[in-house]
Amino acid sequence: MSTSVKKPKTVYVCAECGADTLRWMGKCPGCGAWNTLEEQQRRADIAKIASRSVERSSRPRPIDEVEADDAARRSTTLAELDRVLGGGAVVGGVVLVGGDPGIGKSTLLMQALAGLCTGKVRGLYASGEESAAQVAMRARRLGVAASNVLVQATTELEEVEAAIASERPTVVVVDSVQTLRSGSLDSVAGSVTQIRAVASRLIEVAKRDGLALFLIGHVTKEGTLAGPKVLEHLVDTVLTFEGDPSGAFRLIRAEKNRFGAAHEVGVFEMLEDGLREVPDPSSLFLQERLDRAAGSVVLSTAEGTRPLLVEVQALVAPAVYGAARRVSTGLDGRRLAILLAVLDRKADIHVLDQDVFASVAGGARVDERALDLALAIAVVSSLRERPVSSGLVAFGEIGLAGEVRAVPRAAVRLGEAAKLGFTRAILPASNVAGINGDAPDGIELIAVKTLDDALREAFD
Ligand code: TYD
Ligand code: MG
Protein backbone atom coordinates (compact mmCIF):
# COMPACT_ATOMS: atom_id res chain seq x y z
CA MET A 1 0.00 0.00 0.00
CA SER A 2 1.28 3.41 -0.77
CA THR A 3 0.51 6.56 1.07
CA SER A 4 0.34 9.65 -1.04
CA VAL A 5 1.97 12.68 0.45
CA LYS A 6 0.47 15.91 -0.70
CA LYS A 7 3.09 18.34 -1.96
CA PRO A 8 2.96 21.75 -0.32
CA LYS A 9 1.79 24.51 -2.62
CA THR A 10 4.49 27.01 -1.87
CA VAL A 11 8.23 26.91 -1.58
CA TYR A 12 10.74 29.57 -0.57
CA VAL A 13 13.41 30.23 -3.14
CA CYS A 14 16.61 32.16 -2.53
CA ALA A 15 16.90 35.10 -4.91
CA GLU A 16 20.68 34.84 -4.81
CA CYS A 17 21.47 31.18 -5.32
CA GLY A 18 18.17 29.54 -6.19
CA ALA A 19 18.15 27.09 -3.27
CA ASP A 20 14.66 26.24 -2.07
CA THR A 21 13.20 25.30 1.29
CA LEU A 22 9.73 24.42 2.44
CA ARG A 23 9.56 27.00 5.19
CA TRP A 24 10.65 30.57 5.38
CA MET A 25 14.01 31.30 7.00
CA GLY A 26 15.92 34.48 7.58
CA LYS A 27 19.11 32.99 6.26
CA CYS A 28 19.37 30.98 3.07
CA PRO A 29 20.47 27.42 3.82
CA GLY A 30 22.19 27.31 0.43
CA CYS A 31 24.41 30.38 0.30
CA GLY A 32 23.99 31.92 3.74
CA ALA A 33 22.62 35.23 2.43
CA TRP A 34 20.12 37.02 4.68
CA ASN A 35 16.55 37.89 3.74
CA THR A 36 16.75 36.50 0.27
CA LEU A 37 14.05 33.81 0.46
CA GLU A 38 10.98 34.58 -1.58
CA GLU A 39 7.69 32.77 -1.52
CA GLN A 40 6.88 31.06 -4.77
CA GLN A 41 4.06 28.89 -6.02
CA ARG A 42 5.32 25.43 -6.76
CA ARG A 43 5.36 25.16 -10.53
CA ALA A 44 5.31 22.06 -12.64
CA ASP A 45 8.82 20.79 -12.52
CA ILE A 46 10.67 23.21 -14.73
CA ALA A 47 13.38 20.80 -15.70
CA LYS A 48 10.73 18.40 -16.92
CA ILE A 49 9.35 20.98 -19.30
CA ALA A 50 12.77 21.96 -20.49
CA SER A 51 13.91 18.50 -21.28
CA ARG A 52 10.73 17.71 -23.15
CA SER A 53 11.92 16.68 -26.54
CA VAL A 54 11.51 18.78 -29.65
CA GLU A 55 9.62 15.90 -31.00
CA ARG A 56 6.26 15.63 -29.34
CA SER A 57 5.47 11.98 -29.82
CA SER A 58 6.25 10.03 -26.67
CA ARG A 59 5.45 6.63 -28.15
CA PRO A 60 8.44 4.34 -27.69
CA ARG A 61 10.00 3.37 -30.99
CA PRO A 62 12.83 1.07 -31.99
CA ILE A 63 15.99 3.11 -31.70
CA ASP A 64 17.18 2.28 -35.20
CA GLU A 65 13.99 3.74 -36.66
CA VAL A 66 14.49 7.11 -35.03
CA GLU A 67 16.17 9.62 -37.29
CA ALA A 68 19.35 10.59 -35.52
CA ASP A 69 19.39 14.21 -36.61
CA ASP A 70 15.76 15.07 -36.97
CA ALA A 71 16.37 18.53 -35.65
CA ALA A 72 15.41 21.04 -38.33
CA ARG A 73 18.21 23.54 -38.65
CA ARG A 74 18.56 26.98 -40.13
CA SER A 75 21.75 28.78 -40.96
CA THR A 76 22.53 32.03 -39.21
CA THR A 77 24.67 32.84 -42.27
CA LEU A 78 27.58 33.20 -39.83
CA ALA A 79 29.47 29.98 -40.52
CA GLU A 80 31.52 30.30 -37.33
CA LEU A 81 28.36 30.52 -35.23
CA ASP A 82 26.61 27.75 -37.18
CA ARG A 83 29.49 25.40 -36.51
CA VAL A 84 29.49 26.17 -32.78
CA LEU A 85 25.73 25.55 -32.70
CA GLY A 86 26.33 22.16 -34.28
CA GLY A 87 25.31 23.07 -37.84
CA GLY A 88 22.93 26.02 -37.47
CA ALA A 89 20.11 27.07 -35.18
CA VAL A 90 17.71 24.31 -34.21
CA VAL A 91 13.98 24.86 -34.47
CA GLY A 92 12.63 24.25 -30.98
CA GLY A 93 16.11 24.64 -29.53
CA VAL A 94 16.97 27.05 -26.74
CA VAL A 95 20.37 28.69 -26.64
CA LEU A 96 21.73 30.69 -23.72
CA VAL A 97 24.42 33.18 -24.73
CA GLY A 98 26.52 34.56 -21.90
CA GLY A 99 29.27 37.10 -21.83
CA ASP A 100 30.59 40.26 -20.20
CA PRO A 101 28.75 43.51 -20.80
CA GLY A 102 30.07 45.22 -23.92
CA ILE A 103 31.62 42.14 -25.44
CA GLY A 104 29.21 42.11 -28.39
CA LYS A 105 26.33 39.80 -27.49
CA SER A 106 23.64 42.11 -28.84
CA THR A 107 25.64 42.63 -32.02
CA LEU A 108 26.17 38.92 -32.58
CA LEU A 109 22.54 38.02 -31.96
CA MET A 110 21.23 40.82 -34.17
CA GLN A 111 23.44 39.63 -37.01
CA ALA A 112 22.41 36.03 -36.41
CA LEU A 113 18.72 36.93 -36.22
CA ALA A 114 18.88 38.83 -39.49
CA GLY A 115 20.69 35.90 -41.08
CA LEU A 116 18.06 33.45 -39.88
CA CYS A 117 15.16 35.56 -41.09
CA THR A 118 15.17 35.02 -44.80
CA GLY A 119 12.11 34.71 -47.02
CA LYS A 120 8.94 34.39 -44.98
CA VAL A 121 10.69 33.59 -41.72
CA ARG A 122 10.09 36.27 -39.12
CA GLY A 123 12.17 37.11 -36.11
CA LEU A 124 11.49 38.95 -32.87
CA TYR A 125 14.17 40.85 -30.97
CA ALA A 126 12.80 41.54 -27.49
CA SER A 127 14.99 44.04 -25.72
CA GLY A 128 14.74 44.95 -22.08
CA GLU A 129 18.19 46.51 -22.18
CA GLU A 130 17.81 49.09 -24.88
CA SER A 131 15.06 51.10 -26.53
CA ALA A 132 13.64 50.06 -29.90
CA ALA A 133 15.46 53.03 -31.42
CA GLN A 134 18.80 51.86 -30.07
CA VAL A 135 18.25 48.35 -31.34
CA ALA A 136 17.21 49.68 -34.74
CA MET A 137 20.22 51.95 -34.85
CA ARG A 138 22.51 49.01 -34.28
CA ALA A 139 20.74 46.95 -36.94
CA ARG A 140 21.19 49.79 -39.47
CA ARG A 141 24.82 50.13 -38.57
CA LEU A 142 25.19 46.40 -39.15
CA GLY A 143 23.34 46.74 -42.43
CA VAL A 144 20.74 44.14 -41.48
CA ALA A 145 17.60 46.19 -40.78
CA ALA A 146 14.78 44.38 -42.59
CA SER A 147 11.00 44.30 -42.32
CA ASN A 148 10.80 40.69 -41.18
CA VAL A 149 12.81 41.41 -38.04
CA LEU A 150 10.53 42.86 -35.37
CA VAL A 151 11.83 44.84 -32.43
CA GLN A 152 10.06 44.99 -29.12
CA ALA A 153 11.31 47.07 -26.22
CA THR A 154 9.85 45.63 -23.05
CA THR A 155 10.72 44.31 -19.64
CA GLU A 156 7.49 42.33 -19.24
CA LEU A 157 7.53 38.63 -19.94
CA GLU A 158 3.80 38.65 -20.66
CA GLU A 159 4.29 41.24 -23.41
CA VAL A 160 6.90 39.08 -25.10
CA GLU A 161 4.57 36.09 -24.90
CA ALA A 162 1.77 38.14 -26.43
CA ALA A 163 4.05 39.27 -29.24
CA ILE A 164 5.05 35.68 -29.96
CA ALA A 165 1.38 34.68 -30.06
CA SER A 166 0.33 37.48 -32.38
CA GLU A 167 3.35 37.88 -34.66
CA ARG A 168 4.28 34.19 -34.95
CA PRO A 169 8.03 34.60 -35.27
CA THR A 170 10.25 31.56 -35.90
CA VAL A 171 13.27 32.99 -34.20
CA VAL A 172 13.20 34.93 -30.93
CA VAL A 173 16.07 36.75 -29.23
CA VAL A 174 15.61 37.92 -25.65
CA ASP A 175 18.13 40.57 -24.63
CA SER A 176 18.56 39.92 -21.77
CA VAL A 177 16.96 37.28 -19.61
CA GLN A 178 17.88 39.35 -16.54
CA THR A 179 15.86 42.36 -17.63
CA LEU A 180 12.54 40.56 -18.12
CA ARG A 181 10.15 39.96 -15.28
CA SER A 182 6.93 38.08 -14.94
CA GLY A 183 4.04 40.06 -13.45
CA SER A 184 2.89 36.93 -11.65
CA LEU A 185 5.82 37.07 -9.24
CA ASP A 186 6.71 39.73 -6.73
CA SER A 187 10.44 39.60 -6.98
CA VAL A 188 12.51 42.06 -8.96
CA ALA A 189 13.86 41.47 -12.45
CA GLY A 190 17.20 39.70 -12.39
CA SER A 191 16.55 37.72 -9.21
CA VAL A 192 17.02 34.00 -9.51
CA THR A 193 13.30 33.46 -9.01
CA GLN A 194 12.46 35.77 -11.91
CA ILE A 195 15.18 34.48 -14.19
CA ARG A 196 13.98 30.94 -13.68
CA ALA A 197 10.35 31.81 -14.16
CA VAL A 198 11.01 33.92 -17.27
CA ALA A 199 13.26 31.36 -18.86
CA SER A 200 11.13 28.34 -18.09
CA ARG A 201 8.06 30.05 -19.51
CA LEU A 202 9.88 31.08 -22.70
CA ILE A 203 11.39 27.61 -23.05
CA GLU A 204 7.93 26.12 -22.75
CA VAL A 205 6.68 28.42 -25.51
CA ALA A 206 9.71 27.66 -27.70
CA LYS A 207 9.20 23.91 -27.36
CA ARG A 208 5.47 24.18 -27.96
CA ASP A 209 5.65 26.53 -30.96
CA GLY A 210 8.89 25.22 -32.45
CA LEU A 211 10.83 28.48 -32.03
CA ALA A 212 14.55 28.89 -32.18
CA LEU A 213 15.03 30.83 -28.95
CA PHE A 214 18.16 32.72 -27.93
CA LEU A 215 18.44 34.03 -24.39
CA ILE A 216 21.18 36.54 -23.68
CA GLY A 217 22.58 36.52 -20.14
CA HIS A 218 25.16 38.71 -18.45
CA VAL A 219 28.14 37.32 -16.72
CA THR A 220 29.36 38.70 -13.41
CA LYS A 221 32.86 39.53 -12.34
CA GLU A 222 33.39 36.01 -11.09
CA GLY A 223 33.07 34.86 -14.65
CA THR A 224 30.03 32.69 -14.15
CA LEU A 225 26.66 33.06 -15.74
CA ALA A 226 25.33 34.50 -12.50
CA GLY A 227 21.64 34.04 -12.23
CA PRO A 228 21.64 32.54 -15.70
CA LYS A 229 23.83 29.81 -14.18
CA VAL A 230 20.62 28.34 -12.85
CA LEU A 231 19.42 28.09 -16.44
CA GLU A 232 22.27 26.03 -17.76
CA HIS A 233 20.50 22.74 -17.22
CA LEU A 234 17.22 24.03 -18.65
CA VAL A 235 18.51 25.11 -22.04
CA ASP A 236 19.79 22.94 -24.87
CA THR A 237 22.91 24.91 -25.59
CA VAL A 238 25.10 27.22 -23.54
CA LEU A 239 27.39 29.52 -25.48
CA THR A 240 29.82 31.98 -23.99
CA PHE A 241 31.06 34.98 -25.88
CA GLU A 242 34.44 36.13 -24.68
CA GLY A 243 37.57 37.98 -25.57
CA ASP A 244 39.67 40.90 -24.48
CA PRO A 245 37.32 43.90 -24.84
CA SER A 246 40.24 46.15 -25.72
CA GLY A 247 41.20 43.86 -28.61
CA ALA A 248 39.18 42.98 -31.67
CA PHE A 249 38.93 39.21 -31.29
CA ARG A 250 35.88 37.50 -29.91
CA LEU A 251 35.47 33.81 -29.28
CA ILE A 252 32.18 32.03 -29.12
CA ARG A 253 32.38 28.74 -27.34
CA ALA A 254 29.87 25.96 -26.74
CA GLU A 255 30.05 25.01 -23.07
CA LYS A 256 27.18 22.60 -23.48
CA ASN A 257 25.32 21.51 -26.58
CA ARG A 258 22.56 18.95 -26.84
CA PHE A 259 22.65 19.43 -30.62
CA GLY A 260 26.36 19.32 -31.34
CA ALA A 261 29.86 19.03 -29.98
CA ALA A 262 30.66 20.88 -26.78
CA HIS A 263 33.84 22.98 -26.60
CA GLU A 264 33.52 24.03 -30.22
CA VAL A 265 35.04 27.47 -30.72
CA GLY A 266 34.20 30.10 -33.32
CA VAL A 267 36.23 33.24 -33.86
CA PHE A 268 35.07 36.73 -34.81
CA GLU A 269 36.62 40.12 -35.16
CA MET A 270 34.72 43.22 -33.98
CA LEU A 271 34.82 45.87 -36.69
CA GLU A 272 33.11 49.22 -37.24
CA ASP A 273 30.20 47.53 -38.99
CA GLY A 274 29.81 44.52 -36.77
CA LEU A 275 31.34 41.14 -36.22
CA ARG A 276 33.24 39.54 -39.03
CA GLU A 277 34.05 35.87 -39.07
CA VAL A 278 37.63 34.76 -38.89
CA PRO A 279 37.76 31.47 -40.76
CA ASP A 280 41.49 30.97 -40.24
CA PRO A 281 42.17 32.15 -36.70
CA SER A 282 45.46 30.39 -36.01
CA SER A 283 47.56 32.79 -38.07
CA LEU A 284 45.70 35.66 -36.48
CA PHE A 285 46.42 34.58 -32.91
CA LEU A 286 50.08 34.28 -33.73
CA GLN A 287 50.50 37.41 -35.80
CA GLU A 288 51.85 39.57 -33.00
CA ARG A 289 54.18 36.96 -31.64
CA LEU A 290 57.79 38.04 -31.32
CA ASP A 291 60.27 35.76 -32.95
CA ARG A 292 62.35 33.91 -30.41
CA ALA A 293 61.10 35.61 -27.26
CA ALA A 294 61.82 33.88 -23.97
CA GLY A 295 58.68 32.65 -22.23
CA SER A 296 56.65 32.14 -25.39
CA VAL A 297 55.56 28.74 -26.68
CA VAL A 298 52.99 27.92 -29.34
CA LEU A 299 50.31 25.45 -28.35
CA SER A 300 48.13 23.50 -30.75
CA THR A 301 44.73 23.25 -29.08
CA ALA A 302 41.77 21.20 -30.23
CA GLU A 303 38.94 21.75 -27.81
CA GLY A 304 36.24 21.57 -30.45
CA THR A 305 36.41 19.97 -33.85
CA ARG A 306 38.73 22.64 -35.16
CA PRO A 307 42.33 22.98 -34.05
CA LEU A 308 43.70 26.37 -33.12
CA LEU A 309 47.23 27.57 -32.56
CA VAL A 310 47.71 30.00 -29.70
CA GLU A 311 50.68 31.55 -28.01
CA VAL A 312 51.20 30.64 -24.37
CA GLN A 313 53.27 33.17 -22.46
CA ALA A 314 54.96 33.05 -19.09
CA LEU A 315 56.93 35.61 -17.19
CA VAL A 316 58.93 34.50 -14.18
CA ALA A 317 60.47 37.04 -11.81
CA PRO A 318 61.86 36.76 -8.28
CA ALA A 319 59.12 37.39 -5.71
CA VAL A 320 59.64 40.63 -3.88
CA TYR A 321 57.28 40.37 -0.98
CA GLY A 322 56.62 37.21 0.95
CA ALA A 323 54.52 34.67 -0.87
CA ALA A 324 55.18 34.37 -4.58
CA ARG A 325 52.34 35.51 -6.81
CA ARG A 326 50.70 33.50 -9.54
CA VAL A 327 48.58 35.41 -11.98
CA SER A 328 46.95 33.78 -14.97
CA THR A 329 44.86 35.08 -17.85
CA GLY A 330 43.06 32.81 -20.26
CA LEU A 331 44.03 29.65 -18.42
CA ASP A 332 43.24 27.95 -15.14
CA GLY A 333 45.30 29.35 -12.28
CA ARG A 334 45.04 26.11 -10.32
CA ARG A 335 46.54 24.22 -13.23
CA LEU A 336 49.43 26.67 -13.25
CA ALA A 337 50.01 26.13 -9.53
CA ILE A 338 50.05 22.36 -9.99
CA LEU A 339 52.50 22.57 -12.88
CA LEU A 340 54.84 24.76 -10.87
CA ALA A 341 54.83 22.17 -8.09
CA VAL A 342 55.51 19.37 -10.59
CA LEU A 343 58.36 21.39 -12.13
CA ASP A 344 59.84 21.82 -8.67
CA ARG A 345 59.49 18.25 -7.47
CA LYS A 346 59.87 16.22 -10.65
CA ALA A 347 62.10 18.26 -12.91
CA ASP A 348 64.25 20.06 -10.37
CA ILE A 349 63.23 23.46 -11.72
CA HIS A 350 62.88 25.82 -8.81
CA VAL A 351 60.13 28.30 -9.37
CA LEU A 352 58.26 28.16 -6.09
CA ASP A 353 59.94 31.31 -4.81
CA GLN A 354 59.26 33.16 -8.06
CA ASP A 355 56.34 35.28 -9.18
CA VAL A 356 54.83 33.58 -12.19
CA PHE A 357 52.53 35.31 -14.65
CA ALA A 358 51.01 33.21 -17.39
CA SER A 359 48.61 33.98 -20.17
CA VAL A 360 47.21 32.91 -23.49
CA ALA A 361 47.88 35.80 -25.87
CA GLY A 362 45.21 37.54 -27.92
CA GLY A 363 42.30 37.08 -25.51
CA ALA A 364 41.83 33.37 -26.18
CA ARG A 365 41.13 30.97 -23.34
CA VAL A 366 42.34 27.39 -23.11
CA ASP A 367 40.63 24.96 -20.80
CA GLU A 368 42.13 21.69 -21.91
CA ARG A 369 44.92 19.71 -20.31
CA ALA A 370 46.93 19.68 -23.53
CA LEU A 371 48.01 23.13 -22.44
CA ASP A 372 50.30 21.70 -19.71
CA LEU A 373 53.33 20.95 -21.80
CA ALA A 374 53.41 24.29 -23.60
CA LEU A 375 52.85 26.13 -20.33
CA ALA A 376 55.61 24.26 -18.48
CA ILE A 377 58.06 24.90 -21.31
CA ALA A 378 57.09 28.59 -21.39
CA VAL A 379 57.74 28.91 -17.64
CA VAL A 380 61.16 27.31 -17.94
CA SER A 381 61.94 29.38 -21.02
CA SER A 382 61.24 32.57 -19.09
CA LEU A 383 63.10 31.39 -16.00
CA ARG A 384 66.19 30.63 -18.07
CA GLU A 385 65.71 33.58 -20.42
CA ARG A 386 66.05 31.09 -23.26
CA PRO A 387 63.64 31.18 -26.17
CA VAL A 388 62.55 27.97 -27.85
CA SER A 389 63.09 27.57 -31.58
CA SER A 390 60.54 29.52 -33.59
CA GLY A 391 59.27 26.51 -35.53
CA LEU A 392 58.26 24.64 -32.37
CA VAL A 393 54.79 23.73 -31.15
CA ALA A 394 53.95 21.67 -28.08
CA PHE A 395 50.95 19.95 -26.59
CA GLY A 396 50.40 17.27 -23.94
CA GLU A 397 49.05 16.71 -20.47
CA ILE A 398 51.44 16.50 -17.54
CA GLY A 399 50.63 14.18 -14.64
CA LEU A 400 51.61 14.70 -11.02
CA ALA A 401 54.47 12.24 -11.37
CA GLY A 402 55.96 14.35 -14.15
CA GLU A 403 54.80 11.94 -16.84
CA VAL A 404 53.53 13.26 -20.16
CA ARG A 405 50.11 11.86 -20.99
CA ALA A 406 48.22 11.47 -24.25
CA VAL A 407 45.68 14.06 -25.36
CA PRO A 408 42.85 13.65 -27.87
CA ARG A 409 43.13 14.43 -31.57
CA ALA A 410 46.89 14.63 -31.97
CA ALA A 411 46.82 14.25 -35.76
CA VAL A 412 44.47 17.22 -36.14
CA ARG A 413 46.70 19.38 -33.94
CA LEU A 414 49.77 18.42 -35.94
CA GLY A 415 47.99 19.09 -39.21
CA GLU A 416 47.18 22.66 -38.16
CA ALA A 417 50.75 23.26 -36.99
CA ALA A 418 52.22 21.91 -40.22
CA LYS A 419 49.78 24.04 -42.24
CA LEU A 420 51.11 27.15 -40.53
CA GLY A 421 54.71 26.23 -41.21
CA PHE A 422 55.75 24.76 -37.88
CA THR A 423 58.56 22.25 -38.24
CA ARG A 424 58.91 20.56 -34.83
CA ALA A 425 56.31 19.30 -32.40
CA ILE A 426 56.90 18.11 -28.87
CA LEU A 427 54.08 15.75 -27.99
CA PRO A 428 53.27 12.76 -25.79
CA ALA A 429 55.00 9.55 -26.85
CA SER A 430 51.73 7.66 -26.50
CA ASN A 431 50.16 9.99 -29.05
CA VAL A 432 52.98 9.40 -31.51
CA ALA A 433 52.41 5.66 -31.15
CA GLY A 434 48.74 6.14 -32.01
CA ILE A 435 49.29 8.32 -35.06
CA ASN A 436 51.11 5.67 -37.11
CA GLY A 437 51.36 6.89 -40.68
CA ASP A 438 48.95 9.79 -40.28
CA ALA A 439 51.52 12.42 -39.39
CA PRO A 440 51.49 15.39 -41.74
CA ASP A 441 54.55 16.09 -43.86
CA GLY A 442 57.13 18.67 -42.96
CA ILE A 443 56.86 18.45 -39.20
CA GLU A 444 59.26 16.51 -37.05
CA LEU A 445 57.62 14.63 -34.18
CA ILE A 446 59.47 14.66 -30.89
CA ALA A 447 57.90 12.04 -28.67
CA VAL A 448 58.35 12.61 -24.94
CA LYS A 449 57.40 10.48 -21.95
CA THR A 450 58.33 12.82 -19.14
CA LEU A 451 58.53 16.49 -18.40
CA ASP A 452 62.30 16.09 -18.12
CA ASP A 453 62.47 14.71 -21.68
CA ALA A 454 60.34 17.56 -22.95
CA LEU A 455 62.53 20.22 -21.36
CA ARG A 456 65.65 18.61 -22.68
CA GLU A 457 64.22 18.56 -26.20
CA ALA A 458 62.93 22.11 -26.01
CA PHE A 459 66.23 23.60 -24.88
CA ASP A 460 68.87 21.38 -26.40
P1 TYD B 1 27.17 45.10 -27.86
O1 TYD B 1 26.71 44.13 -28.87
O2 TYD B 1 26.21 46.17 -27.48
O3 TYD B 1 27.64 44.33 -26.54
P2 TYD B 1 26.81 43.55 -25.39
O4 TYD B 1 25.43 43.33 -25.89
O5 TYD B 1 27.56 42.27 -25.15
O6 TYD B 1 26.83 44.40 -24.18
O7 TYD B 1 28.50 45.73 -28.43
C1 TYD B 1 29.45 46.26 -27.58
C2 TYD B 1 30.54 47.01 -28.22
O8 TYD B 1 30.83 46.70 -29.55
C3 TYD B 1 30.27 48.49 -28.18
O9 TYD B 1 31.23 49.06 -27.28
C4 TYD B 1 30.53 49.01 -29.54
C5 TYD B 1 31.15 47.88 -30.27
N1 TYD B 1 30.65 47.76 -31.64
C6 TYD B 1 31.53 47.83 -32.70
O10 TYD B 1 32.74 48.01 -32.52
N2 TYD B 1 31.05 47.69 -33.98
C7 TYD B 1 29.73 47.50 -34.22
O11 TYD B 1 29.36 47.38 -35.40
C8 TYD B 1 28.82 47.44 -33.12
C9 TYD B 1 27.36 47.26 -33.34
C10 TYD B 1 29.33 47.56 -31.85
MG1 MG C 1 23.69 44.17 -25.18
Side-chain angles (χ1 to χ4, degrees):
M1 220 183 83
S2 72
T3 47
S4 79
V5 180
K6 211 170 163 211
K7 277 198 179 174
K9 278 220 181 70
T10 52
V11 287
Y12 296 88
V13 179
C14 173
E16 295 285 331
C17 73
D20 50 18
T21 73
L22 292 179
R23 61 191 176 82
W24 191 85
M25 290 184 237
K27 187 179 177 185
C28 168
C31 65
W34 288 94
N35 276 327
T36 53
L37 294 189
E38 296 165 354
E39 184 173 346
Q40 201 187 325
Q41 297 300 309
R42 188 181 275 281
R43 284 177 167 251
D45 190 2
I46 292 166
K48 231 184 263 167
I49 297 163
S51 61
R52 198 179 286 163
S53 127
V54 179
E55 184 184 19
R56 250 147 277 149
S57 155
S58 60
R59 180 179 60 84
R61 284 184 285 163
I63 196 164
D64 60 345
E65 284 174 20
V66 180
E67 295 252 359
D69 190 16
D70 55 1
R73 292 186 188 266
R74 296 188 62 84
S75 169
T76 64
T77 68
L78 300 169
E80 288 290 291
L81 179 59
D82 282 352
R83 189 166 42 75
V84 172
L85 287 168
V90 172
V91 173
V94 181
V95 181
L96 174 65
V97 183
D100 287 324
I103 203 75
K105 300 179 296 298
S106 303
T107 307
L108 178 72
L109 271 301
M110 179 51 83
Q111 286 181 245
L113 180 62
L116 286 162
C117 295
T118 50
K120 290 219 172 70
V121 172
R122 277 147 65 90
L124 173 67
Y125 194 103
S127 177
E129 299 258 333
E130 294 165 306
S131 67
Q134 283 171 306
V135 175
M137 210 155 70
R138 181 187 290 106
R140 291 215 178 87
R141 178 166 166 195
L142 299 171
V144 298
S147 58
N148 51 354
V149 174
L150 308 169
V151 182
Q152 182 185 30
T154 178
T155 54
E156 300 294 321
L157 168 69
E158 287 74 18
E159 288 185 8
V160 177
E161 271 189 65
I164 293 172
S166 63
E167 304 294 340
R168 301 247 140 246
T170 307
V171 192
V172 175
V173 174
V174 172
D175 187 0
S176 64
V177 71
Q178 280 117 321
T179 50
L180 282 195
R181 69 182 296 279
S182 164
S184 67
L185 295 170
D186 283 340
S187 45
V188 293
S191 66
V192 168
T193 322
Q194 281 289 358
I195 289 175
R196 263 203 205 162
V198 165
S200 54
R201 179 65 195 142
L202 289 171
I203 291 167
E204 216 179 313
V205 172
K207 300 287 171 192
R208 185 194 64 205
D209 296 359
L211 304 176
L213 172 65
F214 292 86
L215 302 172
I216 295 179
H218 292 302
V219 168
T220 54
K221 293 169 257 21
E222 298 84 55
T224 55
L225 282 174
K229 189 100 196 150
V230 302
L231 304 181
E232 288 187 354
H233 68 288
L234 302 182
V235 300
D236 299 306
T237 304
V238 177
L239 304 183
T240 56
F241 202 39
E242 58 196 32
D244 175 3
S246 59
F249 305 127
R250 301 286 184 272
L251 277 84
I252 184 110
R253 184 189 297 263
E255 306 286 347
K256 155 186 172 176
N257 197 352
R258 285 190 185 139
F259 300 121
H263 309 300
E264 193 72 54
V265 177
V267 183
F268 291 89
E269 197 177 353
M270 180 65 94
L271 302 174
E272 277 300 294
D273 54 352
L275 290 156
R276 198 187 62 196
E277 304 176 65
V278 179
D280 177 22
S282 288
S283 52
L284 195 130
F285 277 113
L286 298 180
Q287 74 189 6
E288 287 182 82
R289 181 172 178 243
L290 297 175
D291 201 28
R292 294 189 56 81
S296 159
V297 174
V298 175
L299 160 74
S300 191
T301 70
E303 287 177 84
T305 59
R306 187 180 60 184
L308 185 64
L309 297 190
V310 294
E311 179 186 355
V312 178
Q313 296 183 324
L315 181 64
V316 179
V320 230
Y321 345 78
R325 284 182 299 166
R326 280 87 183 76
V327 180
S328 62
T329 320
L331 55 94
D332 180 4
R334 281 166 306 182
R335 202 65 206 150
L336 174 64
I338 291 170
L339 284 177
L340 296 178
V342 174
L343 278 169
D344 182 78
R345 297 299 304 276
K346 304 293 169 185
D348 232 9
I349 306 274
H350 302 292
V351 279
L352 296 183
D353 58 349
Q354 306 275 321
D355 285 341
V356 180
F357 308 95
S359 83
V360 177
R365 193 183 93 214
V366 176
D367 274 336
E368 61 162 359
R369 291 283 173 90
L371 164 75
D372 294 354
L373 204 47
L375 181 56
I377 297 171
V379 167
V380 176
S381 166
S382 173
L383 180 74
R384 296 182 179 164
E385 274 300 322
R386 284 189 59 190
V388 297
S389 67
S390 55
L392 181 82
V393 293
F395 58 86
E397 176 178 347
I398 298 174
L400 293 183
E403 81 280 19
V404 173
R405 312 176 70 104
V407 295
R409 321 194 51 243
V412 173
R413 296 171 198 267
L414 290 169
E416 181 75 0
K419 198 175 93 191
L420 279 127
F422 286 82
T423 51
R424 296 175 75 212
I426 299 184
L427 72 161
S430 39
N431 276 129
V432 175
I435 290 173
N436 295 322
D438 285 350
D441 292 337
I443 188 160
E444 179 198 352
L445 306 191
I446 304 165
V448 293
K449 286 194 170 139
T450 65
L451 179 53
D452 259 337
D453 290 351
L455 295 175
R456 210 173 309 115
E457 295 288 350
F459 299 104
D460 67 357

